[in-house]
Amino acid sequence: MVEWTRRRFLQASALAGGALMLPGVMQAAWAAGSDKPELGTVRVGFIPLTDCAPLAIAAYKGFDKKYGFTLVPTKEASWAAVRDKLVAGELDAAHILYGLLYGLELGIAGKPKPMANLMTLNQNGQAITLSSDLAQQGVRDVEGLKKLIGQQAPGTYTFAHTFPTGTHAMWLYYWLASAGINPFDDVRTVVVPPPQMVMNMRIGNMVGFCVGEPWNARAINDRIGFTAATSQSIWPEHPEKILGTRQEWVDAHPNTARALVSALLEAQRWIDASPQNKQETAQLLSRRAWLNTKEQYLTGRMLGEYDNGVGQRWQDAHPIRFFEDGAVSYPWHSDGMWFLTQFRRWGLLKTDPDYAAVAQRINRTDVWQDAATAVGGIRAPSSPLRSSTLMDGTVWNGTDPKGYANRFAIHRTGA
């Protein structure tokens, strides 16, 4: 695994020749010269989830103005709406599911469209919630769920995620399959927008869902569900939301793309700088313009403080992260490739793609590097591939994606 250390963080300034790496110096020169952002206003869509935090902070703290543009966040009702508006050009960029962007590029989440991932907005911070009815039947984890499902006809139980190629679908499928539950043969799955998850569980439309916060915490507060697994227990430090846009937009507005990423890098660094900053972020996100919910639903899990709703409390070793010396934001090629392997596993792709080429095309490390240089004190890793160990002991490092995709005993029939 590529290691990010404090030493590397500090050494970064030496790589760009001293003063040009100081925060505020290079971006001031860009704003005044030929590298000024082409657009004065940038419209960025978001879904009301805790992990839209970098957008909120960038706009609220004025990091957008620092880099010569005005960020206009636009709240959307569903991931399908984000997709449609982004493709149509109504949005310049979006807080978007990693897998949704890749699905667009490949034509399995809509009409094929060349897309660009400019940065990762956060790692970790999602969860799988099961209903209180299941808890009353003794279910506490995926093994207990497997036993219960085996007692009924296939398709008896319904689970929800937020988009067919999205991260929540992939976490849910991986978690179910880890216990021998085939998410396509043994249960029924449906798509529900994040803000509607709790309501749909309350009226009995599903017994489980995978979604971002604060909706898992809200289900516990409303006493309709409990947290059966966090997404970071499935893949510690997994990528989650990204800053997505169209390839043509980056090509037409390269300076604006760099400025946008720079502002969001500043916001990420600010959020993770202290617990107090995270609490202030939660307070901001609770407002009507953002999540329109109670601050108490946000703060605990943003600080890594977990209560699963059925008697277990812990300080999570892998809480939602936004910066981590810049490592969170880097658009690792291996992260994108992992989603491609799962698309292949579950039959969303009928043949193996050129995994490395697709990831290299979409994940714009060049834009990220320019932005990191502008912000200062952030250095790229030595390789665009990183190594991770998932919940079942599987090691993913991006070196053999075809072999990895084909190694799973449980996959979609015909895939």
Side-chain angles (χ1 to χ4, degrees), residues 274-294:
S274 70
Q276 292 75 24
N277 286 5
K278 290 181 179 179
Q279 289 175 324
E280 184 178 339
T281 301
Q283 184 179 44
L284 173 63
L285 290 175
S286 70
R287 298 177 184 176
R288 182 178 297 274
W290 294 96
L291 275 61
N292 191 27
T293 192
K294 293 181 180 179

Side-chain angles (χ1 to χ4, degrees), residues 158-363:
T158 299
F159 294 80
H161 55 72
T162 62
F163 195 85
T165 63
T167 52
H168 303 118
M170 298 305 113
W171 310 144
L172 179 63
Y173 297 168
Y174 203 100
W175 183 74
L176 291 171
S178 73
I181 304 168
N182 189 309
F184 289 90
D185 296 342
D186 299 333
V187 299
R188 177 173 174 260
T189 59
V190 295
V191 174
V192 176
Q196 298 177 25
M197 284 292 189
V198 173
M199 176 190 69
N200 274 274
M201 179 170 279
R202 180 180 290 112
I203 62 178
N205 284 343
M206 68 277 207
V207 298
F209 61 69
C210 184
V211 72
E213 298 299 344
W215 306 115
N216 301 286
R218 177 65 183 272
I220 292 172
N221 182 83
D222 291 2
R223 300 184 179 182
I224 64 165
F226 69 98
T227 296
T230 64
S231 56
Q232 54 265 32
S233 70
I234 299 169
W235 176 359
E237 316 306 347
H238 69 79
E240 184 49 44
K241 306 303 186 299
I242 57 177
L243 179 64
T245 186
R246 304 175 304 281
Q247 179 181 302
E248 63 187 16
W249 187 86
V250 181
D251 293 342
H253 312 102
N255 300 337
T256 309
R258 182 206 65 242
L260 177 59
V261 175
S262 297
L264 292 174
L265 279 169
E266 294 262 20
Q268 289 178 307
R269 180 158 63 185
W270 187 90
I271 294 168
D272 273 3
S274 70
Q276 292 75 24
N277 286 5
K278 290 181 179 179
Q279 289 175 324
E280 184 178 339
T281 301
Q283 184 179 44
L284 173 63
L285 290 175
S286 70
R287 298 177 184 176
R288 182 178 297 274
W290 294 96
L291 275 61
N292 191 27
T293 192
K294 293 181 180 179
E295 184 181 341
Q296 69 191 62
Y297 301 153
L298 300 165
T299 305
R301 293 193 172 190
M302 179 167 269
L303 293 171
E305 300 168 356
Y306 277 78
D307 179 340
N308 72 349
V310 284
Q312 183 181 2
R313 295 185 178 183
W314 70 97
Q315 182 68 41
D316 205 290
H318 306 280
I320 188 169
R321 300 190 197 279
F322 296 97
F323 191 64
E324 198 71 7
D325 290 351
V328 169
S329 64
Y330 186 74
W332 304 88
H333 291 184
S334 53
D335 286 358
M337 292 162 64
W338 186 86
F339 287 99
L340 296 177
T341 68
Q342 300 308 294
F343 294 169
R344 183 72 184 100
R345 176 186 184 182
W346 301 120
L348 298 169
L349 291 174
K350 301 305 179 185
T351 59
D352 287 292
D354 187 333
Y355 293 93
V358 172
Q360 184 175 21
R361 185 169 69 243
I362 298 175
N363 287 21

